[in-house]
Amino acid sequence: QISGENTRARDLVERFSEMLRYQLYECTSDFIEISREIAYIRNYVAIQQQRMEPGTDLQMHIGETGSFKIAPLLILPLVENAFKHISHFPDPGQNKLHISFAVEPGFWFVINIRNTYGDPGKAIPVGESRGVGIRNLERRLELLYPGRHLITRTQNRTFYDTTLKIRFDELSGGG
């Protein structure tokens, strides 16, 4: 068992190291390859998964994204928010967090995050749940992708859904 714990600890330290290298050395330019941004999110999700109750329904689907550039660390606030607000039902299988990335026709990069949240009987109004991270994200989107982004948040009694669409330029592949 100690060997298994050592392996897991080494894996987590390696992921942390990759994330730190990304933040320090790769995020120095205005735009970065989408594959690098997704790799960062994968590492973040893997680390967060270690903190979750075994059996939690955590899924990440990455469709065909091709090659284009995006502003670095743009997706992270949405993913952080989902982990922060995921439900804590006694049955871990009821706690769900699904993340998907895809490119849609018209050069739209689409991120969808769906998670169960809190107590289904106590809904938090969507407008009241925006923290500093989401406000900063919205401001960055306005500055970097004016007229080329759409963010929607909806919720019902059980699920909170966030969809971010960013239109990237087919010629430059960037923002």
PDB file of all heavy atoms in Angstrom, residues 75-106:
ATOM      1  N   ILE A  75     -10.148  29.157 -19.233  1.00  0.00           N
ATOM      2  CA  ILE A  75     -11.133  28.132 -18.895  1.00  0.00           C
ATOM      3  C   ILE A  75     -11.129  27.823 -17.396  1.00  0.00           C
ATOM      4  O   ILE A  75     -12.151  27.453 -16.814  1.00  0.00           O
ATOM      5  CB  ILE A  75     -10.843  26.845 -19.705  1.00  0.00           C
ATOM      6  CG1 ILE A  75     -10.870  27.154 -21.195  1.00  0.00           C
ATOM      7  CG2 ILE A  75     -11.817  25.738 -19.359  1.00  0.00           C
ATOM      8  CD1 ILE A  75     -10.268  26.052 -22.056  1.00  0.00           C
ATOM      9  N   LEU A  76     -10.003  27.980 -16.756  1.00  0.00           N
ATOM     10  CA  LEU A  76      -9.826  27.568 -15.369  1.00  0.00           C
ATOM     11  C   LEU A  76     -10.895  28.101 -14.411  1.00  0.00           C
ATOM     12  O   LEU A  76     -11.391  27.338 -13.585  1.00  0.00           O
ATOM     13  CB  LEU A  76      -8.425  27.927 -14.866  1.00  0.00           C
ATOM     14  CG  LEU A  76      -8.090  27.439 -13.461  1.00  0.00           C
ATOM     15  CD1 LEU A  76      -8.127  25.912 -13.399  1.00  0.00           C
ATOM     16  CD2 LEU A  76      -6.745  27.963 -13.032  1.00  0.00           C
ATOM     17  N   PRO A  77     -11.282  29.377 -14.452  1.00  0.00           N
ATOM     18  CA  PRO A  77     -12.287  29.847 -13.484  1.00  0.00           C
ATOM     19  C   PRO A  77     -13.608  29.070 -13.548  1.00  0.00           C
ATOM     20  O   PRO A  77     -14.241  28.842 -12.519  1.00  0.00           O
ATOM     21  CB  PRO A  77     -12.509  31.314 -13.864  1.00  0.00           C
ATOM     22  CG  PRO A  77     -11.281  31.713 -14.593  1.00  0.00           C
ATOM     23  CD  PRO A  77     -10.786  30.481 -15.288  1.00  0.00           C
ATOM     24  N   LEU A  78     -13.990  28.643 -14.734  1.00  0.00           N
ATOM     25  CA  LEU A  78     -15.229  27.867 -14.864  1.00  0.00           C
ATOM     26  C   LEU A  78     -15.089  26.497 -14.217  1.00  0.00           C
ATOM     27  O   LEU A  78     -15.993  26.017 -13.526  1.00  0.00           O
ATOM     28  CB  LEU A  78     -15.606  27.712 -16.335  1.00  0.00           C
ATOM     29  CG  LEU A  78     -15.865  28.998 -17.105  1.00  0.00           C
ATOM     30  CD1 LEU A  78     -16.116  28.697 -18.569  1.00  0.00           C
ATOM     31  CD2 LEU A  78     -17.034  29.757 -16.492  1.00  0.00           C
ATOM     32  N   VAL A  79     -13.948  25.864 -14.437  1.00  0.00           N
ATOM     33  CA  VAL A  79     -13.701  24.538 -13.871  1.00  0.00           C
ATOM     34  C   VAL A  79     -13.562  24.645 -12.353  1.00  0.00           C
ATOM     35  O   VAL A  79     -14.128  23.842 -11.599  1.00  0.00           O
ATOM     36  CB  VAL A  79     -12.457  23.895 -14.518  1.00  0.00           C
ATOM     37  CG1 VAL A  79     -12.137  22.559 -13.874  1.00  0.00           C
ATOM     38  CG2 VAL A  79     -12.664  23.730 -16.020  1.00  0.00           C
ATOM     39  N   GLU A  80     -12.833  25.645 -11.878  1.00  0.00           N
ATOM     40  CA  GLU A  80     -12.687  25.856 -10.432  1.00  0.00           C
ATOM     41  C   GLU A  80     -14.048  26.032  -9.772  1.00  0.00           C
ATOM     42  O   GLU A  80     -14.312  25.473  -8.708  1.00  0.00           O
ATOM     43  CB  GLU A  80     -11.841  27.106 -10.151  1.00  0.00           C
ATOM     44  CG  GLU A  80     -10.369  26.940 -10.381  1.00  0.00           C
ATOM     45  CD  GLU A  80      -9.615  28.248 -10.194  1.00  0.00           C
ATOM     46  OE1 GLU A  80     -10.176  29.342 -10.443  1.00  0.00           O
ATOM     47  OE2 GLU A  80      -8.435  28.170  -9.783  1.00  0.00           O
ATOM     48  N   ASN A  81     -14.892  26.824 -10.408  1.00  0.00           N
ATOM     49  CA  ASN A  81     -16.219  27.093  -9.868  1.00  0.00           C
ATOM     50  C   ASN A  81     -17.037  25.810  -9.724  1.00  0.00           C
ATOM     51  O   ASN A  81     -17.734  25.614  -8.728  1.00  0.00           O
ATOM     52  CB  ASN A  81     -16.947  28.083 -10.779  1.00  0.00           C
ATOM     53  CG  ASN A  81     -17.644  29.156 -10.010  1.00  0.00           C
ATOM     54  OD1 ASN A  81     -17.174  29.593  -8.970  1.00  0.00           O
ATOM     55  ND2 ASN A  81     -18.781  29.577 -10.515  1.00  0.00           N
ATOM     56  N   ALA A  82     -16.959  24.954 -10.726  1.00  0.00           N
ATOM     57  CA  ALA A  82     -17.716  23.697 -10.693  1.00  0.00           C
ATOM     58  C   ALA A  82     -17.239  22.818  -9.533  1.00  0.00           C
ATOM     59  O   ALA A  82     -18.051  22.233  -8.815  1.00  0.00           O
ATOM     60  CB  ALA A  82     -17.596  22.965 -12.017  1.00  0.00           C
ATOM     61  N   PHE A  83     -15.934  22.734  -9.342  1.00  0.00           N
ATOM     62  CA  PHE A  83     -15.409  21.941  -8.232  1.00  0.00           C
ATOM     63  C   PHE A  83     -15.782  22.576  -6.891  1.00  0.00           C
ATOM     64  O   PHE A  83     -16.085  21.880  -5.929  1.00  0.00           O
ATOM     65  CB  PHE A  83     -13.890  21.777  -8.324  1.00  0.00           C
ATOM     66  CG  PHE A  83     -13.473  20.655  -9.219  1.00  0.00           C
ATOM     67  CD1 PHE A  83     -13.009  20.903 -10.493  1.00  0.00           C
ATOM     68  CD2 PHE A  83     -13.545  19.335  -8.785  1.00  0.00           C
ATOM     69  CE1 PHE A  83     -12.621  19.861 -11.329  1.00  0.00           C
ATOM     70  CE2 PHE A  83     -13.168  18.286  -9.600  1.00  0.00           C
ATOM     71  CZ  PHE A  83     -12.703  18.553 -10.887  1.00  0.00           C
ATOM     72  N   LYS A  84     -15.772  23.882  -6.841  1.00  0.00           N
ATOM     73  CA  LYS A  84     -16.091  24.583  -5.598  1.00  0.00           C
ATOM     74  C   LYS A  84     -17.538  24.345  -5.182  1.00  0.00           C
ATOM     75  O   LYS A  84     -17.837  24.203  -4.003  1.00  0.00           O
ATOM     76  CB  LYS A  84     -15.842  26.089  -5.783  1.00  0.00           C
ATOM     77  CG  LYS A  84     -16.160  26.924  -4.577  1.00  0.00           C
ATOM     78  CD  LYS A  84     -15.875  28.384  -4.854  1.00  0.00           C
ATOM     79  CE  LYS A  84     -16.291  29.267  -3.702  1.00  0.00           C
ATOM     80  NZ  LYS A  84     -16.095  30.690  -4.023  1.00  0.00           N
ATOM     81  N   HIS A  85     -18.445  24.293  -6.152  1.00  0.00           N
ATOM     82  CA  HIS A  85     -19.873  24.241  -5.846  1.00  0.00           C
ATOM     83  C   HIS A  85     -20.526  22.883  -6.083  1.00  0.00           C
ATOM     84  O   HIS A  85     -21.748  22.776  -6.004  1.00  0.00           O
ATOM     85  CB  HIS A  85     -20.615  25.311  -6.650  1.00  0.00           C
ATOM     86  CG  HIS A  85     -20.213  26.698  -6.260  1.00  0.00           C
ATOM     87  ND1 HIS A  85     -20.540  27.264  -5.045  1.00  0.00           N
ATOM     88  CD2 HIS A  85     -19.467  27.625  -6.910  1.00  0.00           C
ATOM     89  CE1 HIS A  85     -20.034  28.479  -4.976  1.00  0.00           C
ATOM     90  NE2 HIS A  85     -19.378  28.724  -6.084  1.00  0.00           N
ATOM     91  N   ILE A  86     -19.734  21.852  -6.375  1.00  0.00           N
ATOM     92  CA  ILE A  86     -20.326  20.536  -6.606  1.00  0.00           C
ATOM     93  C   ILE A  86     -21.058  20.073  -5.335  1.00  0.00           C
ATOM     94  O   ILE A  86     -20.661  20.415  -4.224  1.00  0.00           O
ATOM     95  CB  ILE A  86     -19.287  19.491  -7.056  1.00  0.00           C
ATOM     96  CG1 ILE A  86     -19.989  18.208  -7.520  1.00  0.00           C
ATOM     97  CG2 ILE A  86     -18.268  19.235  -5.964  1.00  0.00           C
ATOM     98  CD1 ILE A  86     -19.067  17.201  -8.182  1.00  0.00           C
ATOM     99  N   SER A  87     -22.117  19.318  -5.545  1.00  0.00           N
ATOM    100  CA  SER A  87     -22.915  18.813  -4.429  1.00  0.00           C
ATOM    101  C   SER A  87     -22.100  17.861  -3.555  1.00  0.00           C
ATOM    102  O   SER A  87     -21.047  17.373  -3.963  1.00  0.00           O
ATOM    103  CB  SER A  87     -24.143  18.088  -4.980  1.00  0.00           C
ATOM    104  OG  SER A  87     -23.724  17.028  -5.830  1.00  0.00           O
ATOM    105  N   HIS A  88     -22.620  17.619  -2.386  1.00  0.00           N
ATOM    106  CA  HIS A  88     -21.973  16.699  -1.445  1.00  0.00           C
ATOM    107  C   HIS A  88     -23.017  15.729  -0.896  1.00  0.00           C
ATOM    108  O   HIS A  88     -23.239  15.642   0.308  1.00  0.00           O
ATOM    109  CB  HIS A  88     -21.295  17.474  -0.308  1.00  0.00           C
ATOM    110  CG  HIS A  88     -20.195  18.347  -0.777  1.00  0.00           C
ATOM    111  ND1 HIS A  88     -18.966  17.860  -1.143  1.00  0.00           N
ATOM    112  CD2 HIS A  88     -20.147  19.677  -0.983  1.00  0.00           C
ATOM    113  CE1 HIS A  88     -18.198  18.860  -1.537  1.00  0.00           C
ATOM    114  NE2 HIS A  88     -18.892  19.966  -1.452  1.00  0.00           N
ATOM    115  N   PHE A  89     -23.667  15.005  -1.798  1.00  0.00           N
ATOM    116  CA  PHE A  89     -24.655  14.020  -1.384  1.00  0.00           C
ATOM    117  C   PHE A  89     -23.941  12.855  -0.692  1.00  0.00           C
ATOM    118  O   PHE A  89     -22.796  12.537  -1.031  1.00  0.00           O
ATOM    119  CB  PHE A  89     -25.434  13.490  -2.596  1.00  0.00           C
ATOM    120  CG  PHE A  89     -26.312  14.528  -3.244  1.00  0.00           C
ATOM    121  CD1 PHE A  89     -26.010  15.018  -4.503  1.00  0.00           C
ATOM    122  CD2 PHE A  89     -27.446  15.000  -2.603  1.00  0.00           C
ATOM    123  CE1 PHE A  89     -26.812  15.970  -5.110  1.00  0.00           C
ATOM    124  CE2 PHE A  89     -28.256  15.960  -3.205  1.00  0.00           C
ATOM    125  CZ  PHE A  89     -27.938  16.440  -4.458  1.00  0.00           C
ATOM    126  N   PRO A  90     -24.620  12.196   0.250  1.00  0.00           N
ATOM    127  CA  PRO A  90     -24.000  11.048   0.929  1.00  0.00           C
ATOM    128  C   PRO A  90     -23.597   9.936  -0.040  1.00  0.00           C
ATOM    129  O   PRO A  90     -22.571   9.291   0.160  1.00  0.00           O
ATOM    130  CB  PRO A  90     -25.094  10.562   1.894  1.00  0.00           C
ATOM    131  CG  PRO A  90     -25.989  11.736   2.077  1.00  0.00           C
ATOM    132  CD  PRO A  90     -25.922  12.519   0.806  1.00  0.00           C
ATOM    133  N   ASP A  91     -24.392   9.733  -1.087  1.00  0.00           N
ATOM    134  CA  ASP A  91     -24.052   8.744  -2.116  1.00  0.00           C
ATOM    135  C   ASP A  91     -23.184   9.447  -3.148  1.00  0.00           C
ATOM    136  O   ASP A  91     -23.675  10.286  -3.906  1.00  0.00           O
ATOM    137  CB  ASP A  91     -25.320   8.195  -2.763  1.00  0.00           C
ATOM    138  CG  ASP A  91     -25.035   7.287  -3.958  1.00  0.00           C
ATOM    139  OD1 ASP A  91     -23.853   6.963  -4.206  1.00  0.00           O
ATOM    140  OD2 ASP A  91     -26.005   6.908  -4.645  1.00  0.00           O
ATOM    141  N   PRO A  92     -21.871   9.154  -3.198  1.00  0.00           N
ATOM    142  CA  PRO A  92     -20.970   9.869  -4.109  1.00  0.00           C
ATOM    143  C   PRO A  92     -21.403   9.804  -5.574  1.00  0.00           C
ATOM    144  O   PRO A  92     -21.136  10.725  -6.336  1.00  0.00           O
ATOM    145  CB  PRO A  92     -19.618   9.188  -3.925  1.00  0.00           C
ATOM    146  CG  PRO A  92     -19.745   8.298  -2.762  1.00  0.00           C
ATOM    147  CD  PRO A  92     -21.184   8.124  -2.439  1.00  0.00           C
ATOM    148  N   GLY A  93     -22.089   8.728  -5.980  1.00  0.00           N
ATOM    149  CA  GLY A  93     -22.528   8.602  -7.367  1.00  0.00           C
ATOM    150  C   GLY A  93     -23.533   9.661  -7.780  1.00  0.00           C
ATOM    151  O   GLY A  93     -23.736   9.904  -8.963  1.00  0.00           O
ATOM    152  N   GLN A  94     -24.165  10.322  -6.801  1.00  0.00           N
ATOM    153  CA  GLN A  94     -25.119  11.392  -7.106  1.00  0.00           C
ATOM    154  C   GLN A  94     -24.410  12.723  -7.356  1.00  0.00           C
ATOM    155  O   GLN A  94     -25.016  13.657  -7.864  1.00  0.00           O
ATOM    156  CB  GLN A  94     -26.114  11.560  -5.961  1.00  0.00           C
ATOM    157  CG  GLN A  94     -27.102  10.433  -5.833  1.00  0.00           C
ATOM    158  CD  GLN A  94     -28.096  10.729  -4.724  1.00  0.00           C
ATOM    159  OE1 GLN A  94     -27.740  10.800  -3.549  1.00  0.00           O
ATOM    160  NE2 GLN A  94     -29.337  10.930  -5.112  1.00  0.00           N
ATOM    161  N   ASN A  95     -23.155  12.821  -6.970  1.00  0.00           N
ATOM    162  CA  ASN A  95     -22.370  14.033  -7.178  1.00  0.00           C
ATOM    163  C   ASN A  95     -21.734  13.950  -8.566  1.00  0.00           C
ATOM    164  O   ASN A  95     -20.917  13.087  -8.818  1.00  0.00           O
ATOM    165  CB  ASN A  95     -21.306  14.171  -6.091  1.00  0.00           C
ATOM    166  CG  ASN A  95     -21.921  14.215  -4.709  1.00  0.00           C
ATOM    167  OD1 ASN A  95     -22.880  14.934  -4.480  1.00  0.00           O
ATOM    168  ND2 ASN A  95     -21.385  13.428  -3.804  1.00  0.00           N
ATOM    169  N   LYS A  96     -22.151  14.841  -9.449  1.00  0.00           N
ATOM    170  CA  LYS A  96     -21.743  14.756 -10.847  1.00  0.00           C
ATOM    171  C   LYS A  96     -21.064  16.047 -11.297  1.00  0.00           C
ATOM    172  O   LYS A  96     -21.506  17.138 -10.959  1.00  0.00           O
ATOM    173  CB  LYS A  96     -22.956  14.500 -11.732  1.00  0.00           C
ATOM    174  CG  LYS A  96     -23.705  13.237 -11.374  1.00  0.00           C
ATOM    175  CD  LYS A  96     -24.947  13.063 -12.225  1.00  0.00           C
ATOM    176  CE  LYS A  96     -25.774  11.882 -11.815  1.00  0.00           C
ATOM    177  NZ  LYS A  96     -25.096  10.634 -11.635  1.00  0.00           N
ATOM    178  N   LEU A  97     -19.985  15.865 -12.069  1.00  0.00           N
ATOM    179  CA  LEU A  97     -19.319  16.998 -12.700  1.00  0.00           C
ATOM    180  C   LEU A  97     -18.858  16.514 -14.074  1.00  0.00           C
ATOM    181  O   LEU A  97     -18.034  15.606 -14.163  1.00  0.00           O
ATOM    182  CB  LEU A  97     -18.132  17.471 -11.865  1.00  0.00           C
ATOM    183  CG  LEU A  97     -17.600  18.870 -12.170  1.00  0.00           C
ATOM    184  CD1 LEU A  97     -16.707  19.357 -11.057  1.00  0.00           C
ATOM    185  CD2 LEU A  97     -16.951  18.995 -13.486  1.00  0.00           C
ATOM    186  N   HIS A  98     -19.427  17.099 -15.116  1.00  0.00           N
ATOM    187  CA  HIS A  98     -19.105  16.713 -16.492  1.00  0.00           C
ATOM    188  C   HIS A  98     -18.561  17.942 -17.222  1.00  0.00           C
ATOM    189  O   HIS A  98     -19.190  18.995 -17.224  1.00  0.00           O
ATOM    190  CB  HIS A  98     -20.339  16.184 -17.217  1.00  0.00           C
ATOM    191  CG  HIS A  98     -20.929  14.965 -16.568  1.00  0.00           C
ATOM    192  ND1 HIS A  98     -22.105  14.409 -16.995  1.00  0.00           N
ATOM    193  CD2 HIS A  98     -20.501  14.192 -15.542  1.00  0.00           C
ATOM    194  CE1 HIS A  98     -22.383  13.348 -16.253  1.00  0.00           C
ATOM    195  NE2 HIS A  98     -21.423  13.206 -15.358  1.00  0.00           N
ATOM    196  N   ILE A  99     -17.412  17.765 -17.837  1.00  0.00           N
ATOM    197  CA  ILE A  99     -16.736  18.844 -18.564  1.00  0.00           C
ATOM    198  C   ILE A  99     -16.535  18.374 -19.995  1.00  0.00           C
ATOM    199  O   ILE A  99     -16.061  17.259 -20.216  1.00  0.00           O
ATOM    200  CB  ILE A  99     -15.367  19.158 -17.931  1.00  0.00           C
ATOM    201  CG1 ILE A  99     -15.528  19.525 -16.453  1.00  0.00           C
ATOM    202  CG2 ILE A  99     -14.639  20.251 -18.705  1.00  0.00           C
ATOM    203  CD1 ILE A  99     -14.227  19.548 -15.671  1.00  0.00           C
ATOM    204  N   SER A 100     -16.873  19.230 -20.959  1.00  0.00           N
ATOM    205  CA  SER A 100     -16.624  18.852 -22.353  1.00  0.00           C
ATOM    206  C   SER A 100     -16.062  20.036 -23.133  1.00  0.00           C
ATOM    207  O   SER A 100     -16.379  21.192 -22.855  1.00  0.00           O
ATOM    208  CB  SER A 100     -17.892  18.321 -23.022  1.00  0.00           C
ATOM    209  OG  SER A 100     -18.839  19.350 -23.173  1.00  0.00           O
ATOM    210  N   PHE A 101     -15.201  19.703 -24.096  1.00  0.00           N
ATOM    211  CA  PHE A 101     -14.591  20.670 -24.994  1.00  0.00           C
ATOM    212  C   PHE A 101     -14.842  20.206 -26.417  1.00  0.00           C
ATOM    213  O   PHE A 101     -14.672  19.016 -26.711  1.00  0.00           O
ATOM    214  CB  PHE A 101     -13.068  20.731 -24.801  1.00  0.00           C
ATOM    215  CG  PHE A 101     -12.635  21.079 -23.414  1.00  0.00           C
ATOM    216  CD1 PHE A 101     -12.237  20.092 -22.524  1.00  0.00           C
ATOM    217  CD2 PHE A 101     -12.603  22.394 -22.994  1.00  0.00           C
ATOM    218  CE1 PHE A 101     -11.826  20.403 -21.244  1.00  0.00           C
ATOM    219  CE2 PHE A 101     -12.188  22.714 -21.710  1.00  0.00           C
ATOM    220  CZ  PHE A 101     -11.801  21.725 -20.837  1.00  0.00           C
ATOM    221  N   ALA A 102     -15.215  21.113 -27.285  1.00  0.00           N
ATOM    222  CA  ALA A 102     -15.435  20.758 -28.692  1.00  0.00           C
ATOM    223  C   ALA A 102     -15.344  22.012 -29.550  1.00  0.00           C
ATOM    224  O   ALA A 102     -15.427  23.138 -29.047  1.00  0.00           O
ATOM    225  CB  ALA A 102     -16.806  20.104 -28.871  1.00  0.00           C
ATOM    226  N   VAL A 103     -15.178  21.791 -30.831  1.00  0.00           N
ATOM    227  CA  VAL A 103     -15.244  22.883 -31.797  1.00  0.00           C
ATOM    228  C   VAL A 103     -16.495  22.659 -32.630  1.00  0.00           C
ATOM    229  O   VAL A 103     -16.739  21.560 -33.115  1.00  0.00           O
ATOM    230  CB  VAL A 103     -13.982  22.940 -32.694  1.00  0.00           C
ATOM    231  CG1 VAL A 103     -14.169  23.918 -33.828  1.00  0.00           C
ATOM    232  CG2 VAL A 103     -12.763  23.316 -31.860  1.00  0.00           C
ATOM    233  N   GLU A 104     -17.293  23.714 -32.762  1.00  0.00           N
ATOM    234  CA  GLU A 104     -18.517  23.657 -33.551  1.00  0.00           C
ATOM    235  C   GLU A 104     -18.313  24.425 -34.847  1.00  0.00           C
ATOM    236  O   GLU A 104     -17.415  25.265 -34.949  1.00  0.00           O
ATOM    237  CB  GLU A 104     -19.687  24.249 -32.762  1.00  0.00           C
ATOM    238  CG  GLU A 104     -20.089  23.423 -31.566  1.00  0.00           C
ATOM    239  CD  GLU A 104     -21.291  24.003 -30.831  1.00  0.00           C
ATOM    240  OE1 GLU A 104     -21.727  25.142 -31.132  1.00  0.00           O
ATOM    241  OE2 GLU A 104     -21.796  23.307 -29.931  1.00  0.00           O
ATOM    242  N   PRO A 105     -19.157  24.163 -35.852  1.00  0.00           N
ATOM    243  CA  PRO A 105     -19.043  24.885 -37.119  1.00  0.00           C
ATOM    244  C   PRO A 105     -19.054  26.401 -36.901  1.00  0.00           C
ATOM    245  O   PRO A 105     -19.706  26.908 -35.994  1.00  0.00           O
ATOM    246  CB  PRO A 105     -20.289  24.434 -37.892  1.00  0.00           C
ATOM    247  CG  PRO A 105     -20.614  23.088 -37.314  1.00  0.00           C
ATOM    248  CD  PRO A 105     -20.229  23.165 -35.865  1.00  0.00           C
ATOM    249  N   GLY A 106     -18.322  27.087 -37.743  1.00  0.00           N
ATOM    250  CA  GLY A 106     -18.201  28.536 -37.633  1.00  0.00           C
ATOM    251  C   GLY A 106     -17.060  28.961 -36.738  1.00  0.00           C
ATOM    252  O   GLY A 106     -16.993  30.104 -36.318  1.00  0.00           O
TER     253      GLY A 106
END
